[in-house]
Amino acid sequence: MSWFDQSIMARRAVARGKPAASHSITEATQGKYRYVYGPYADPVLRIQPGDVVACETHDAFEGAIKHETDSPSAILNFPYLNPQNGPIYVEGAEKGDCLAVLIRSIVPRGPQPVGTTVIMPEFGGLVSNGATAMLNPALPERVKKLHVTAEHGTVWNDRITLPYEPFIGTIGTSPEIEAISSLVPDYYGGNMDLPDVAPDAVIYLPVNRPGALLYLGDCHAAQGDGELCGVALEHPTVTTVQVDLIKGWTLAWPRLENAEFYMTIGSARPMEDAARIAYRELTRWLAADFGFDEIDAYMLLTQCGRVRLGNMVDPKYTLGASIKKSIVGTIGG
Amino acid sequence: MSWFDQSIMARRAVARGKPAASHSITEATQGKYRYVYGPYADPVLRIQPGDVVACETHDAFEGAIKHETDSPSAILNFPYLNPQNGPIYVEGAEKGDCLAVLIRSIVPRGPQPVGTTVIMPEFGGLVSNGATAMLNPALPERVKKLHVTAEHGTVWNDRITLPYEPFIGTIGTSPEIEAISSLVPDYYGGNMDLPDVAPDAVIYLPVNRPGALLYLGDCHAAQGDGELCGVALEHPTVTTVQVDLIKGWTLAWPRLENAEFYMTIGSARPMEDAARIAYRELTRWLAADFGFDEIDAYMLLTQCGRVRLGNMVDPKYTLGASIKKSIVGTIGG
Amino acid sequence: MSWFDQSIMARRAVARGKPAASHSITEATQGKYRYVYGPYADPVLRIQPGDVVACETHDAFEGAIKHETDSPSAILNFPYLNPQNGPIYVEGAEKGDCLAVLIRSIVPRGPQPVGTTVIMPEFGGLVSNGATAMLNPALPERVKKLHVTAEHGTVWNDRITLPYEPFIGTIGTSPEIEAISSLVPDYYGGNMDLPDVAPDAVIYLPVNRPGALLYLGDCHAAQGDGELCGVALEHPTVTTVQVDLIKGWTLAWPRLENAEFYMTIGSARPMEDAARIAYRELTRWLAADFGFDEIDAYMLLTQCGRVRLGNMVDPKYTLGASIKKSIVGTIGG
Amino acid sequence: MSWFDQSIMARRAVARGKPAASHSITEATQGKYRYVYGPYADPVLRIQPGDVVACETHDAFEGAIKHETDSPSAILNFPYLNPQNGPIYVEGAEKGDCLAVLIRSIVPRGPQPVGTTVIMPEFGGLVSNGATAMLNPALPERVKKLHVTAEHGTVWNDRITLPYEPFIGTIGTSPEIEAISSLVPDYYGGNMDLPDVAPDAVIYLPVNRPGALLYLGDCHAAQGDGELCGVALEHPTVTTVQVDLIKGWTLAWPRLENAEFYMTIGSARPMEDAARIAYRELTRWLAADFGFDEIDAYMLLTQCGRVRLGNMVDPKYTLGASIKKSIVGTIGG
């Protein structure tokens, strides 16, 4: 029996984690990609809980950076960055519910070199930027175009090949009345750039609007903790997710579950606030669903909580805090 | 001759700072107040550069907190907070232009006690909150309803009366494609809660959309630096502004000018990033328009720059950095 | 009657704020200047409460930067920076007491140009530095030597002269067992770089060791809020202070009083933590000594507290939070 | 052949990583434990490079918390916390050198229950504290005394036993002229609370003084990332280290090597500054010793760097950034 059969999604969601109808969102059916997470765009697809959707995602630059001689700052047109598939309307979802999204697969698509990463002026974790604003001169721009396959990974240079460890960089639901840039992560998900949002994981997302309005995009072929220069191994993919609905489970922030752990995800600046959010959510989760009193949970996480840094470059930094199932067991298990 | 005749607005704006037609936005003509700064709402008014607009602003709670026995957490309905007048469409404004807004007057309106301030759980500068998330128990809620007049100020208690020092807490233009909560300050203005945005000052705002789409609201009868508990002396007002347009003056962040100083305004977390933004903008302004080289400007601001803390409670903290006209003279003067 | 007669120092200190014996610490009697605040150096002077001490302070570079063609990075020898006078042993001071230091005068000394400011690599508020570590190239070094007099101020260039607004950049007591670099500000004072520590103000400092062990130095001829590039108008002075002792007044952080306001001072990173410290101390002070309940004090400071940014460049950032005496009256008044 | 034979310590250090004489520091020979990292205490031991030292470490409370009914706030006497063994004088070490410390073993000592963790007021990552100063009421104090053995780990309760994953919480060299509380982590090491400082790892520490003056203590039986409540599984141990010396290898911050990765360690607030420090050091290390240009290294770490959060509770937060040897190979390999 797979861990998934014991997952919260499989136990509590409307479709009990069983895959139902299959859909796809191709470049053609998506039409115009989306650059904000909000309620002001018409859904590109309406689905039932349990439905499976295969999305043709673009890379974060919508394919505009084609050559290593390209200048990202000349080509890119803020705020039209980080194109998203969606929104997907999930029937029955209402404010206060939870969307459960099982990531089934991510595979690269398109002609090689399919991967792109770049250095841009005034963007990244170790350079002056729009928020941590310095007077220092910028680094020079640089573009790397990379051969990426699911089988062999990413060929960095003739000595180094990185394994293919794909994940969804940006995924979330619509805020209730706001429309937020797809560059931003927040309580509804968004641009978390957290490598655990990977195949064989379930992400749980708060529903803020009727239909939830799910967006996703920005898949990475691999990424280090923090997404240091701000641009991971960006690549277009077919990303397949199974979407389910947990009625009445009201989350303040996204959560995630995989075979090994339960995780809560916080996004904020400074970085310690992201950690506080994630760990407070995890503390409260242990208290609510795992039989701890809150202070016990706080003390236990001190001894065995784990932290994954998603990004240290986006408008908010993202951290996941987790605890192993081998320590706390499974909910209801 | 008033300082205003030498202002950037009077020298460079389309209407040369001369008042043109007068308009008003009453509660009735506003209809539904707005809770996001964005392009998805229809304008309530279209004006020409130079026009004067008198707005009936609500307090930040839209008048919902009426008694000192009220419970803010029971009454308030996030995200429907901080109601804004607007949007106002300014003819001729295009992305890359600058909106110049002279604040002509702010007067309280409505029956006494017209002022309200409150302590709410999980909100404020010295308590656990949604971003700086702690496990500590909350403070008790508290509401104060206060008698406020322009003539006598705010009666805090039988010993203390605070002078009436009104300003606009929230003012700004629409982002290009985002719709951001009116609780947030950012590059387009918004909920800066900066006491210098007061009568006899001009605020300069970036234009990101055709028509600029000006919003304003959230006037305070007075406020300390930082708006410590998160809620100033909130009160409904008639706020009158004169709106002009400077073509081709592209600002990254809001700027402000009054009789005494030039100011740049940054909003970010952590607070030092707000200070960096504000001071970098001011450094670059001195270099661009006042005849300094950039390093000279940086060195001079080290000796005589001034900082005003707007808020330390909103989703981004706001700081203004300024230099006195008595030191640098007036632009073109 | 001067405000000082109503000061806490004049009301509560051992010598009632009355000047007693006069002493001086010259370059010769100081001998080796000090680069740490700690208990491991022998006192250079022992005084009684009420005694007045005139100190020959060095500039922050100990006079080593003599010409505009000098290279600070080549000359300066970390950690031997920011030389301090002291320690001064105050008879009767014990852990848990408070040292009250009235700043009586600061006057420049030495041959012109007496003022120095510089740009150094990897130091300052708007450049990559050792803590906010970036990969960007450094700005070029620059030295300015400046004519400074008490009468005419600082001649910046042929258009700009800055008024002489001197203050003590670094002043404090010894920690109990630590010896901390004089570049650091913290709970015992130190390198706060706060312009309110100026003539006609009293700073109140926690005593952590027998004799308190007072240090001071680093006087500035003027400074902007934040000390932006990290180096103010550094100059050698004769600085005269009157030192008194308040038994049993145990402060967590420095406080300050002048004719206009009461201030609490916090030093921390990020900057909002410095603000939190300062405002929490001020809230508690109002509750302890001014007849407010703590939540009332918190609400009142929201409406009328004032913030002064000392530095945004030192190992901890320093902020003062204050409230006007015209609002809260004087203690015991 | 063990990874250690290819380590920097084994290749470059004076004793080539070969164990020489053995020493021990017992409670008796240590005498008074140390609470600051500084040069003002006499060495308790003088060793040659290559020597092995077995230290009887105390727990962070020096054994003062004996019962679950104890009140930590009543018992603990700041700043006399986190007792350290040392200083150990290493012959031949000079400023600019590097101390290489191989952690050979950590074993619990003393009568059961040997483990202690506590909740204290105003201390910890999810509560108001002295730096992130709030007005909220404190959590109640709580003490847990825990049975800890190397064989079976830590018995948390009747359902949960945590594996014994010991490491050294606090280790470092003396600053040049400062004496810093053993509660603080910084460029010289100190209270990093980083779980990778574990048996079979080598930590590389900057030498700032003749003899280096090595201190260590504060061993934990296990710890979650961030040491959330501020107190890990504290326990007294016999900790055995082998100390070697790399002449002329001048580090700005500690580094670490084990079988799997190379790591750089940064400590700062806010947390992103700790991450910046660690990643900048790692970027520069890759550029200096692994044949990358600096921008290449920055781009590569974006794709495969790993971050470990040490603490989010100490006066500075600590993060380690690492890259796997399977990606970059071994230096000189």
Side-chain angles (χ1 to χ4, degrees):
Chain A
M1 188 177 67
S2 145
W3 72 270
F4 179 73
D5 297 329
Q6 301 299 318
S7 70
I8 299 166
M9 182 173 171
R11 288 166 176 264
R12 296 194 191 165
V14 167
R16 288 289 181 273
K18 300 283 181 293
S22 286
H23 310 265
S24 67
I25 301 176
T26 62
E27 288 194 35
T29 58
Q30 175 66 43
K32 184 172 152 48
Y33 281 68
R34 297 291 164 188
Y35 310 99
V36 294
Y37 275 61
Y40 303 106
D42 291 330
V44 293
L45 181 67
R46 300 178 84 94
I47 65 173
Q48 295 293 332
D51 284 3
V52 174
V53 187
C55 298
E56 289 186 358
T57 70
H58 262 308
D59 73 22
F61 309 117
E62 213 158 343
I65 299 181
K66 299 179 192 304
H67 307 288
E68 296 204 338
T69 52
D70 285 347
S71 162
S73 62
I75 289 172
L76 301 176
N77 181 23
F78 181 86
Y80 303 97
L81 295 173
N82 201 14
Q84 300 293 300
N85 292 83
I88 301 168
Y89 189 103
V90 183
E91 299 291 348
E94 296 168 299
K95 184 176 177 177
D97 294 342
C98 170
L99 216 60
V101 182
L102 170 66
I103 302 156
R104 292 170 62 114
S105 64
I106 301 174
V107 295
R109 70 183 179 95
Q112 298 290 351
V114 73
T116 307
T117 189
V118 313
I119 299 286
M120 279 183 291
E122 292 289 305
F123 182 62
L126 289 186
V127 295
S128 170
N129 56 70
T132 307
M134 303 297 196
L135 295 174
N136 302 81
L139 295 184
E141 293 192 287
R142 190 178 294 186
V143 173
K144 283 181 84 89
K145 297 292 292 186
L146 298 149
H147 194 97
V148 177
T149 62
E151 299 72 29
H152 298 107
T154 301
V155 181
W156 186 260
N157 60 27
D158 53 11
R159 291 184 299 127
I160 296 175
T161 296
L162 302 172
Y164 189 64
E165 298 173 334
F167 68 98
I168 303 176
T170 311
I171 185 170
T173 57
S174 176
E176 186 166 352
I177 57 173
E178 290 186 288
I180 309 283
S181 166
S182 57
L183 298 170
V184 176
D186 210 326
Y187 65 93
Y188 55 83
N191 193 23
M192 298 175 286
D193 290 319
L194 182 68
D196 295 310
V197 186
D200 208 34
V202 179
I203 186 162
Y204 300 99
L205 296 163
V207 178
N208 311 295
R209 296 273 308 180
L213 302 180
L214 179 69
Y215 295 84
L216 65 83
D218 185 30
C219 293
H220 298 166
Q223 186 197 289
D225 296 344
E227 199 187 19
L228 188 60
C229 82
V231 184
L233 295 171
E234 312 292 337
H235 72 322
T237 72
V238 177
T239 291
T240 303
V241 297
Q242 178 180 332
V243 181
D244 214 330
L245 180 65
I246 303 177
K247 296 296 294 180
W249 197 32
T250 305
L251 304 182
W253 287 88
R255 296 180 182 182
L256 185 143
E257 176 182 11
N258 64 21
E260 289 178 36
F261 56 74
Y262 295 105
M263 175 179 273
T264 48
I265 303 170
S267 294
R269 290 190 178 202
M271 197 185 283
E272 55 264 37
D273 275 0
R276 286 172 179 136
I277 289 167
Y279 261 133
R280 184 167 80 170
E281 286 298 305
L282 190 54
T283 302
R284 290 177 168 175
W285 195 3
L286 292 187
D289 289 350
F290 293 86
F292 294 89
D293 83 32
E294 192 168 288
I295 293 178
D296 254 358
Y298 179 40
M299 294 180 92
L300 178 63
L301 288 172
T302 303
Q303 316 315 334
C304 63
R306 290 291 165 245
V307 164
R308 184 78 182 266
L309 177 62
N311 87 77
M312 55 182 277
V313 294
D314 296 324
K316 298 188 177 191
Y317 306 136
T318 300
L319 276 159
S322 62
I323 189 164
K324 289 184 184 172
K325 292 179 170 180
S326 63
I327 295 172
V328 289
T330 55
I331 291 181
Chain B
M1 188 177 69
S2 146
W3 73 270
F4 179 73
D5 298 328
Q6 301 301 317
S7 70
I8 299 165
M9 181 172 173
R11 288 167 178 263
R12 297 195 191 164
V14 168
R16 289 287 181 275
K18 299 285 181 295
S22 288
H23 309 266
S24 67
I25 300 176
T26 63
E27 288 195 34
T29 58
Q30 176 65 45
K32 185 171 153 49
Y33 281 69
R34 297 292 163 187
Y35 310 99
V36 294
Y37 275 62
Y40 304 106
D42 291 331
V44 293
L45 181 68
R46 299 178 85 95
I47 64 173
Q48 296 292 332
D51 285 2
V52 173
V53 187
C55 298
E56 289 186 357
T57 70
H58 263 308
D59 74 22
F61 308 117
E62 212 158 341
I65 299 182
K66 298 181 191 306
H67 308 289
E68 297 205 338
T69 51
D70 285 347
S71 163
S73 62
I75 290 172
L76 300 176
N77 181 24
F78 181 86
Y80 303 98
L81 295 173
N82 201 15
Q84 300 293 300
N85 292 82
I88 301 168
Y89 189 102
V90 183
E91 300 291 349
E94 296 168 298
K95 184 175 176 177
D97 294 342
C98 168
L99 216 59
V101 183
L102 170 66
I103 301 158
R104 291 170 61 114
S105 65
I106 300 174
V107 295
R109 70 183 178 94
Q112 297 291 350
V114 74
T116 306
T117 190
V118 313
I119 299 287
M120 280 182 292
E122 292 288 306
F123 183 61
L126 289 186
V127 295
S128 169
N129 56 69
T132 307
M134 304 296 196
L135 295 174
N136 303 81
L139 295 185
E141 292 192 288
R142 189 178 295 186
V143 173
K144 283 179 85 87
K145 297 292 291 186
L146 297 149
H147 194 97
V148 177
T149 62
E151 299 72 28
H152 298 108
T154 301
V155 181
W156 186 260
N157 61 27
D158 53 11
R159 290 183 301 128
I160 295 174
T161 297
L162 302 172
Y164 190 64
E165 298 173 333
F167 69 98
I168 303 175
T170 312
I171 184 170
T173 56
S174 175
E176 186 167 353
I177 57 173
E178 291 187 286
I180 309 283
S181 166
S182 56
L183 297 169
V184 176
D186 210 325
Y187 65 92
Y188 55 83
N191 192 23
M192 299 176 285
D193 289 319
L194 182 68
D196 294 310
V197 186
D200 209 33
V202 179
I203 186 163
Y204 300 99
L205 297 163
V207 177
N208 310 294
R209 296 273 308 180
L213 302 179
L214 179 69
Y215 296 84
L216 66 84
D218 186 29
C219 294
H220 298 166
Q223 186 197 288
D225 296 345
E227 200 188 17
L228 188 61
C229 81
V231 184
L233 295 170
E234 313 292 336
H235 72 321
T237 72
V238 177
T239 292
T240 303
V241 296
Q242 178 181 329
V243 182
D244 214 329
L245 179 65
I246 303 177
K247 295 297 294 179
W249 196 32
T250 304
L251 304 183
W253 287 87
R255 296 180 181 182
L256 184 141
E257 176 182 11
N258 64 20
E260 288 177 38
F261 56 73
Y262 296 105
M263 175 179 273
T264 49
I265 303 171
S267 294
R269 289 189 180 206
M271 197 185 285
E272 55 264 36
D273 274 0
R276 286 172 179 135
I277 289 167
Y279 261 133
R280 184 167 80 171
E281 286 298 305
L282 190 54
T283 302
R284 289 177 169 174
W285 195 3
L286 292 187
D289 289 350
F290 293 86
F292 293 90
D293 83 34
E294 192 169 288
I295 293 178
D296 253 358
Y298 178 39
M299 295 180 92
L300 179 62
L301 288 171
T302 303
Q303 317 314 334
C304 64
R306 290 293 164 242
V307 164
R308 184 80 183 263
L309 177 62
N311 87 77
M312 54 181 279
V313 293
D314 296 323
K316 298 189 177 190
Y317 305 136
T318 300
L319 277 158
S322 63
I323 189 165
K324 289 184 184 172
K325 292 178 171 181
S326 63
I327 295 173
V328 289
T330 54
I331 292 181
Chain C
M1 190 175 72
S2 146
W3 72 271
F4 179 73
D5 298 328
Q6 301 299 319
S7 71
I8 299 165
M9 180 173 172
R11 287 167 177 264
R12 295 195 191 163
V14 167
R16 290 287 180 276
K18 298 285 181 293
S22 288
H23 309 265
S24 67
I25 301 176
T26 62
E27 289 195 34
T29 58
Q30 176 65 45
K32 184 172 153 47
Y33 280 69
R34 298 291 162 187
Y35 310 99
V36 293
Y37 276 60
Y40 304 106
D42 292 329
V44 293
L45 181 67
R46 301 177 85 93
I47 64 173
Q48 295 293 330
D51 284 3
V52 174
V53 186
C55 298
E56 289 186 357
T57 70
H58 262 309
D59 72 23
F61 308 117
E62 213 159 340
I65 299 181
K66 299 180 191 306
H67 308 290
E68 297 204 338
T69 52
D70 286 347
S71 162
S73 63
I75 290 172
L76 300 176
N77 181 25
F78 180 85
Y80 303 98
L81 295 174
N82 201 15
Q84 301 292 300
N85 292 83
I88 301 169
Y89 189 102
V90 183
E91 299 291 347
E94 296 169 298
K95 184 175 178 179
D97 295 343
C98 168
L99 216 60
V101 182
L102 170 66
I103 301 158
R104 292 170 60 116
S105 64
I106 301 174
V107 295
R109 70 182 178 95
Q112 297 291 350
V114 73
T116 306
T117 190
V118 313
I119 299 287
M120 279 182 292
E122 292 289 305
F123 183 62
L126 289 185
V127 295
S128 169
N129 56 69
T132 307
M134 304 298 195
L135 294 174
N136 303 81
L139 295 185
E141 292 192 289
R142 191 178 293 185
V143 173
K144 283 180 85 87
K145 296 292 293 187
L146 298 150
H147 193 98
V148 178
T149 62
E151 298 72 29
H152 298 106
T154 301
V155 182
W156 186 260
N157 61 26
D158 53 12
R159 290 183 301 127
I160 296 174
T161 297
L162 302 171
Y164 190 63
E165 298 173 333
F167 68 98
I168 303 176
T170 311
I171 184 170
T173 56
S174 175
E176 186 166 352
I177 58 174
E178 290 186 289
I180 309 283
S181 165
S182 56
L183 297 170
V184 176
D186 210 325
Y187 66 92
Y188 54 82
N191 192 24
M192 298 176 286
D193 289 319
L194 182 68
D196 294 311
V197 186
D200 208 33
V202 178
I203 186 163
Y204 300 99
L205 297 163
V207 177
N208 310 294
R209 296 271 310 180
L213 301 179
L214 178 69
Y215 295 84
L216 66 84
D218 185 30
C219 293
H220 298 166
Q223 186 198 290
D225 296 345
E227 200 187 18
L228 187 61
C229 82
V231 184
L233 295 171
E234 313 292 338
H235 72 322
T237 71
V238 177
T239 291
T240 303
V241 296
Q242 178 180 331
V243 181
D244 213 329
L245 179 66
I246 303 177
K247 295 297 294 179
W249 197 32
T250 305
L251 304 182
W253 286 89
R255 297 181 180 180
L256 183 142
E257 176 182 10
N258 63 22
E260 288 178 36
F261 57 73
Y262 296 105
M263 176 179 272
T264 48
I265 304 170
S267 296
R269 289 190 179 204
M271 198 185 284
E272 54 264 37
D273 274 0
R276 287 172 179 135
I277 290 167
Y279 260 134
R280 183 167 81 171
E281 287 298 305
L282 190 54
T283 302
R284 290 177 168 175
W285 193 5
L286 291 186
D289 289 350
F290 293 85
F292 294 90
D293 84 33
E294 192 168 288
I295 293 178
D296 254 359
Y298 178 40
M299 295 180 92
L300 179 62
L301 288 172
T302 303
Q303 316 316 334
C304 63
R306 290 292 165 243
V307 164
R308 184 78 183 265
L309 177 60
N311 87 77
M312 55 181 278
V313 293
D314 296 323
K316 299 189 176 189
Y317 305 136
T318 301
L319 277 157
S322 62
I323 189 165
K324 288 184 185 173
K325 292 179 170 180
S326 63
I327 295 172
V328 290
T330 54
I331 292 181
Chain D
M1 188 177 71
S2 145
W3 73 270
F4 179 73
D5 298 329
Q6 300 300 318
S7 71
I8 299 166
M9 182 173 171
R11 289 167 177 265
R12 295 195 192 163
V14 168
R16 289 288 181 275
K18 299 284 183 292
S22 288
H23 310 265
S24 67
I25 301 176
T26 62
E27 288 195 35
T29 58
Q30 176 65 46
K32 184 171 154 46
Y33 280 70
R34 296 291 162 188
Y35 310 99
V36 293
Y37 276 61
Y40 304 106
D42 291 331
V44 293
L45 181 69
R46 301 177 85 94
I47 64 173
Q48 295 293 331
D51 284 2
V52 174
V53 186
C55 298
E56 289 186 357
T57 70
H58 262 308
D59 73 22
F61 308 117
E62 212 157 342
I65 299 181
K66 298 181 191 306
H67 308 289
E68 296 203 340
T69 52
D70 286 347
S71 163
S73 63
I75 290 172
L76 300 176
N77 180 24
F78 180 85
Y80 302 98
L81 296 173
N82 201 15
Q84 300 294 300
N85 292 83
I88 301 169
Y89 189 102
V90 182
E91 299 291 348
E94 296 168 298
K95 184 176 177 178
D97 294 343
C98 168
L99 216 59
V101 182
L102 170 66
I103 302 158
R104 292 170 61 115
S105 64
I106 301 175
V107 295
R109 68 183 179 94
Q112 297 290 350
V114 73
T116 307
T117 189
V118 313
I119 298 287
M120 279 183 289
E122 292 288 306
F123 183 61
L126 288 185
V127 296
S128 170
N129 56 69
T132 306
M134 304 297 196
L135 294 174
N136 302 82
L139 295 184
E141 292 192 287
R142 190 178 292 186
V143 173
K144 283 180 85 87
K145 297 292 292 185
L146 298 149
H147 194 98
V148 177
T149 62
E151 299 72 29
H152 298 106
T154 301
V155 182
W156 185 259
N157 61 26
D158 53 12
R159 291 183 300 127
I160 296 175
T161 296
L162 302 172
Y164 189 64
E165 299 173 333
F167 69 98
I168 302 176
T170 311
I171 184 169
T173 56
S174 175
E176 185 166 352
I177 57 174
E178 290 187 288
I180 309 282
S181 165
S182 56
L183 298 170
V184 176
D186 210 326
Y187 66 93
Y188 56 82
N191 192 24
M192 299 176 285
D193 290 319
L194 183 68
D196 294 312
V197 186
D200 208 33
V202 179
I203 186 164
Y204 300 98
L205 297 163
V207 178
N208 310 294
R209 295 275 307 182
L213 302 179
L214 179 68
Y215 295 84
L216 65 84
D218 186 29
C219 293
H220 298 166
Q223 187 197 289
D225 296 343
E227 200 187 18
L228 188 61
C229 82
V231 184
L233 295 171
E234 313 292 336
H235 71 322
T237 72
V238 177
T239 292
T240 303
V241 296
Q242 178 180 330
V243 181
D244 213 331
L245 179 66
I246 303 177
K247 296 297 294 180
W249 197 32
T250 304
L251 304 182
W253 288 87
R255 297 181 180 180
L256 184 143
E257 176 182 12
N258 63 22
E260 289 178 37
F261 56 73
Y262 296 104
M263 176 178 273
T264 48
I265 303 170
S267 295
R269 290 192 179 202
M271 197 185 284
E272 55 264 38
D273 274 1
R276 287 172 180 136
I277 289 168
Y279 261 134
R280 184 168 80 171
E281 287 298 305
L282 190 54
T283 303
R284 290 177 169 175
W285 194 4
L286 292 187
D289 288 350
F290 293 85
F292 293 90
D293 83 34
E294 192 169 287
I295 293 178
D296 253 359
Y298 178 40
M299 295 180 92
L300 179 63
L301 288 172
T302 303
Q303 317 314 335
C304 63
R306 291 291 166 243
V307 163
R308 184 77 181 266
L309 177 61
N311 86 78
M312 55 182 278
V313 294
D314 296 324
K316 299 189 177 190
Y317 305 136
T318 301
L319 277 158
S322 61
I323 189 165
K324 288 183 185 174
K325 291 179 171 180
S326 63
I327 295 172
V328 289
T330 54
I331 291 182

